[in-house]
Amino acid sequence: MKQSRNTIAKTEIISLITKSDVALSHSEIQFMLDGLCDRVTIYRVLDRLVEEGYVHKVTTIDGVVKYASCNSCSANHNHSHIHFSCKKCKAVTCIVDVQPSFSLPSNYKISEVNFIISGLCPECS
């Protein structure tokens, strides 16, 4: 049975994100795919993977959206762990063994949480 190009793209994108130690941006994924599919297909696949809970997206302090595997995310796709953004190498990593905490006044309703800490990663320190 012949796989569609979209299925091949989805499989390759999942593989890239799963094997990466850092979150990947759309442009990084596009570069790594080396012409396998166009940029619009990559956006569609990434949106689908987020919706299906395979990956989560992180918006960096610079406004760049990056994608990371959901290995440690909760069953309801809660991604409220800390993300560390290195100011030097620009790598974004999920820090899952530290749980952030905060409190808001009771009249606020949370729909999404994005914890970004920036500084120097161990490689750049």
Side-chain angles (χ1 to χ4, degrees):
M1 183 167 108
K2 183 179 174 188
Q3 280 188 311
S4 73
R5 218 162 154 68
N6 194 29
T7 302
I8 293 168
K10 183 177 179 182
T11 302
E12 288 300 314
I13 291 169
I14 290 172
S15 177
L16 287 174
I17 293 172
T18 302
K19 291 177 182 175
S20 180
D21 292 333
V22 297
L24 301 172
S25 69
H26 176 278
S27 59
E28 291 167 326
I29 292 168
Q30 186 174 9
F31 177 78
M32 294 164 94
L33 289 175
D34 194 28
L36 175 70
C37 56
D38 63 32
R39 65 181 187 81
V40 174
T41 300
I42 297 168
Y43 277 119
R44 286 183 184 144
V45 169
L46 289 169
D47 284 345
R48 189 174 334 133
L49 292 175
V50 168
E51 184 179 305
E52 293 171 355
Y54 289 110
V55 301
H56 62 279
K57 59 183 175 178
V58 181
T59 304
T60 68
I61 292 171
D62 301 330
V64 176
V65 176
K66 297 205 173 199
Y67 299 85
S69 183
C70 278
N71 299 345
S72 64
C73 301
S74 67
N76 64 353
H77 307 303
N78 182 7
H79 313 294
S80 59
H81 53 267
I82 294 172
H83 297 96
F84 188 89
S85 178
C86 181
K87 292 181 118 180
K88 187 173 181 181
C89 71
K90 305 297 183 196
V92 175
T93 53
C94 296
I95 309 292
V96 295
D97 54 348
V98 176
Q99 288 300 314
S101 65
F102 63 94
S103 62
L104 292 174
S106 60
N107 56 336
Y108 287 84
K109 305 290 185 231
I110 299 170
S111 61
E112 188 176 327
V113 177
N114 187 7
F115 288 101
I116 297 279
I117 297 174
S118 73
L120 295 177
C121 71
E123 300 294 320
C124 295
S125 294

mmCIF file of all heavy atoms in Angstrom, residues 89-109:
data_model
loop_
_atom_site.group_PDB
_atom_site.id
_atom_site.type_symbol
_atom_site.label_atom_id
_atom_site.label_comp_id
_atom_site.label_asym_id
_atom_site.label_seq_id
_atom_site.Cartn_x
_atom_site.Cartn_y
_atom_site.Cartn_z
ATOM 1 N N CYS A 89 22.862 30.000 22.495
ATOM 2 C CA CYS A 89 22.683 29.058 21.378
ATOM 3 C C CYS A 89 21.240 28.981 20.890
ATOM 4 O O CYS A 89 20.956 28.349 19.887
ATOM 5 C CB CYS A 89 23.184 27.666 21.766
ATOM 6 S SG CYS A 89 22.159 26.800 22.978
ATOM 7 N N LYS A 90 20.317 29.629 21.605
ATOM 8 C CA LYS A 90 18.893 29.699 21.243
ATOM 9 C C LYS A 90 18.151 28.368 21.397
ATOM 10 O O LYS A 90 17.017 28.237 20.968
ATOM 11 C CB LYS A 90 18.685 30.241 19.816
ATOM 12 C CG LYS A 90 19.323 31.580 19.546
ATOM 13 C CD LYS A 90 18.735 32.646 20.414
ATOM 14 C CE LYS A 90 19.336 34.004 20.071
ATOM 15 N NZ LYS A 90 19.105 34.997 21.070
ATOM 16 N N ALA A 91 18.782 27.358 22.006
ATOM 17 C CA ALA A 91 18.118 26.079 22.235
ATOM 18 C C ALA A 91 17.031 26.244 23.298
ATOM 19 O O ALA A 91 17.195 26.985 24.265
ATOM 20 C CB ALA A 91 19.127 25.031 22.686
ATOM 21 N N VAL A 92 15.912 25.553 23.097
ATOM 22 C CA VAL A 92 14.826 25.545 24.070
ATOM 23 C C VAL A 92 14.639 24.105 24.523
ATOM 24 O O VAL A 92 14.440 23.212 23.705
ATOM 25 C CB VAL A 92 13.509 26.084 23.464
ATOM 26 C CG1 VAL A 92 12.359 25.950 24.454
ATOM 27 C CG2 VAL A 92 13.673 27.528 23.036
ATOM 28 N N THR A 93 14.723 23.885 25.827
ATOM 29 C CA THR A 93 14.575 22.537 26.370
ATOM 30 C C THR A 93 13.440 22.503 27.381
ATOM 31 O O THR A 93 13.170 23.490 28.077
ATOM 32 C CB THR A 93 15.870 22.052 27.054
ATOM 33 O OG1 THR A 93 16.272 23.021 28.005
ATOM 34 C CG2 THR A 93 16.990 21.860 26.065
ATOM 35 N N CYS A 94 12.778 21.350 27.456
ATOM 36 C CA CYS A 94 11.739 21.124 28.451
ATOM 37 C C CYS A 94 12.412 20.677 29.737
ATOM 38 O O CYS A 94 13.231 19.764 29.727
ATOM 39 C CB CYS A 94 10.769 20.042 27.985
ATOM 40 S SG CYS A 94 9.830 20.479 26.516
ATOM 41 N N ILE A 95 12.082 21.319 30.829
ATOM 42 C CA ILE A 95 12.593 20.939 32.145
ATOM 43 C C ILE A 95 11.402 20.330 32.893
ATOM 44 O O ILE A 95 10.572 21.045 33.447
ATOM 45 C CB ILE A 95 13.148 22.158 32.927
ATOM 46 C CG1 ILE A 95 14.132 22.962 32.084
ATOM 47 C CG2 ILE A 95 13.733 21.716 34.259
ATOM 48 C CD1 ILE A 95 15.429 22.264 31.773
ATOM 49 N N VAL A 96 11.325 19.003 32.878
ATOM 50 C CA VAL A 96 10.133 18.337 33.403
ATOM 51 C C VAL A 96 10.246 17.933 34.862
ATOM 52 O O VAL A 96 9.249 17.632 35.490
ATOM 53 C CB VAL A 96 9.762 17.111 32.542
ATOM 54 C CG1 VAL A 96 9.374 17.554 31.147
ATOM 55 C CG2 VAL A 96 10.897 16.115 32.504
ATOM 56 N N ASP A 97 11.455 17.947 35.417
ATOM 57 C CA ASP A 97 11.606 17.524 36.807
ATOM 58 C C ASP A 97 11.455 18.683 37.794
ATOM 59 O O ASP A 97 11.628 18.510 38.992
ATOM 60 C CB ASP A 97 12.927 16.787 37.019
ATOM 61 C CG ASP A 97 14.139 17.580 36.542
ATOM 62 O OD1 ASP A 97 13.945 18.594 35.848
ATOM 63 O OD2 ASP A 97 15.268 17.168 36.849
ATOM 64 N N VAL A 98 11.118 19.865 37.304
ATOM 65 C CA VAL A 98 10.842 21.028 38.152
ATOM 66 C C VAL A 98 9.441 21.517 37.801
ATOM 67 O O VAL A 98 9.174 21.877 36.662
ATOM 68 C CB VAL A 98 11.866 22.166 37.894
ATOM 69 C CG1 VAL A 98 11.500 23.394 38.707
ATOM 70 C CG2 VAL A 98 13.274 21.702 38.180
ATOM 71 N N GLN A 99 8.551 21.490 38.758
ATOM 72 C CA GLN A 99 7.184 21.935 38.512
ATOM 73 C C GLN A 99 7.016 23.377 38.975
ATOM 74 O O GLN A 99 7.227 23.683 40.148
ATOM 75 C CB GLN A 99 6.188 21.035 39.241
ATOM 76 C CG GLN A 99 6.063 19.661 38.631
ATOM 77 C CD GLN A 99 5.600 19.713 37.182
ATOM 78 O OE1 GLN A 99 4.656 20.421 36.834
ATOM 79 N NE2 GLN A 99 6.283 18.970 36.338
ATOM 80 N N PRO A 100 6.659 24.257 38.074
ATOM 81 C CA PRO A 100 6.450 25.657 38.458
ATOM 82 C C PRO A 100 5.171 25.794 39.277
ATOM 83 O O PRO A 100 4.266 24.970 39.178
ATOM 84 C CB PRO A 100 6.306 26.361 37.113
ATOM 85 C CG PRO A 100 5.797 25.311 36.196
ATOM 86 C CD PRO A 100 6.390 24.013 36.675
ATOM 87 N N SER A 101 5.117 26.837 40.067
ATOM 88 C CA SER A 101 3.888 27.098 40.806
ATOM 89 C C SER A 101 3.578 28.596 40.744
ATOM 90 O O SER A 101 4.475 29.423 40.626
ATOM 91 C CB SER A 101 4.015 26.636 42.254
ATOM 92 O OG SER A 101 4.993 27.393 42.921
ATOM 93 N N PHE A 102 2.323 28.901 40.815
ATOM 94 C CA PHE A 102 1.866 30.282 40.794
ATOM 95 C C PHE A 102 0.450 30.303 41.339
ATOM 96 O O PHE A 102 -0.205 29.261 41.431
ATOM 97 C CB PHE A 102 1.913 30.876 39.377
ATOM 98 C CG PHE A 102 1.005 30.176 38.420
ATOM 99 C CD1 PHE A 102 -0.278 30.636 38.195
ATOM 100 C CD2 PHE A 102 1.432 29.045 37.743
ATOM 101 C CE1 PHE A 102 -1.125 29.981 37.319
ATOM 102 C CE2 PHE A 102 0.597 28.388 36.859
ATOM 103 C CZ PHE A 102 -0.680 28.855 36.650
ATOM 104 N N SER A 103 -0.017 31.465 41.678
ATOM 105 C CA SER A 103 -1.410 31.603 42.079
ATOM 106 C C SER A 103 -1.951 32.895 41.485
ATOM 107 O O SER A 103 -1.246 33.890 41.390
ATOM 108 C CB SER A 103 -1.548 31.598 43.598
ATOM 109 O OG SER A 103 -0.872 32.692 44.148
ATOM 110 N N LEU A 104 -3.174 32.815 41.057
ATOM 111 C CA LEU A 104 -3.868 33.971 40.484
ATOM 112 C C LEU A 104 -5.101 34.265 41.326
ATOM 113 O O LEU A 104 -5.640 33.365 41.982
ATOM 114 C CB LEU A 104 -4.319 33.661 39.048
ATOM 115 C CG LEU A 104 -3.237 33.497 37.998
ATOM 116 C CD1 LEU A 104 -3.846 33.043 36.682
ATOM 117 C CD2 LEU A 104 -2.507 34.810 37.793
ATOM 118 N N PRO A 105 -5.592 35.487 41.272
ATOM 119 C CA PRO A 105 -6.861 35.773 41.946
ATOM 120 C C PRO A 105 -7.964 34.868 41.394
ATOM 121 O O PRO A 105 -7.921 34.450 40.226
ATOM 122 C CB PRO A 105 -7.124 37.247 41.595
ATOM 123 C CG PRO A 105 -5.780 37.799 41.265
ATOM 124 C CD PRO A 105 -5.008 36.660 40.658
ATOM 125 N N SER A 106 -8.932 34.558 42.201
ATOM 126 C CA SER A 106 -9.963 33.581 41.830
ATOM 127 C C SER A 106 -10.800 33.985 40.616
ATOM 128 O O SER A 106 -11.397 33.129 39.969
ATOM 129 C CB SER A 106 -10.885 33.308 43.012
ATOM 130 O OG SER A 106 -11.520 34.505 43.408
ATOM 131 N N ASN A 107 -10.849 35.246 40.275
ATOM 132 C CA ASN A 107 -11.670 35.670 39.141
ATOM 133 C C ASN A 107 -10.957 35.522 37.789
ATOM 134 O O ASN A 107 -11.517 35.893 36.760
ATOM 135 C CB ASN A 107 -12.173 37.104 39.337
ATOM 136 C CG ASN A 107 -11.042 38.095 39.566
ATOM 137 O OD1 ASN A 107 -9.966 37.719 40.005
ATOM 138 N ND2 ASN A 107 -11.292 39.353 39.283
ATOM 139 N N TYR A 108 -9.740 34.979 37.769
ATOM 140 C CA TYR A 108 -9.021 34.709 36.528
ATOM 141 C C TYR A 108 -9.212 33.257 36.133
ATOM 142 O O TYR A 108 -9.130 32.364 36.977
ATOM 143 C CB TYR A 108 -7.523 34.993 36.678
ATOM 144 C CG TYR A 108 -7.196 36.468 36.725
ATOM 145 C CD1 TYR A 108 -7.275 37.179 37.910
ATOM 146 C CD2 TYR A 108 -6.801 37.138 35.574
ATOM 147 C CE1 TYR A 108 -6.982 38.519 37.956
ATOM 148 C CE2 TYR A 108 -6.497 38.482 35.612
ATOM 149 C CZ TYR A 108 -6.591 39.167 36.803
ATOM 150 O OH TYR A 108 -6.294 40.501 36.836
ATOM 151 N N LYS A 109 -9.446 33.007 34.847
ATOM 152 C CA LYS A 109 -9.618 31.653 34.324
ATOM 153 C C LYS A 109 -8.448 31.338 33.401
ATOM 154 O O LYS A 109 -8.242 32.017 32.401
ATOM 155 C CB LYS A 109 -10.932 31.510 33.548
ATOM 156 C CG LYS A 109 -12.161 31.903 34.341
ATOM 157 C CD LYS A 109 -12.447 30.912 35.439
ATOM 158 C CE LYS A 109 -13.734 31.264 36.139
ATOM 159 N NZ LYS A 109 -13.636 31.327 37.565
#
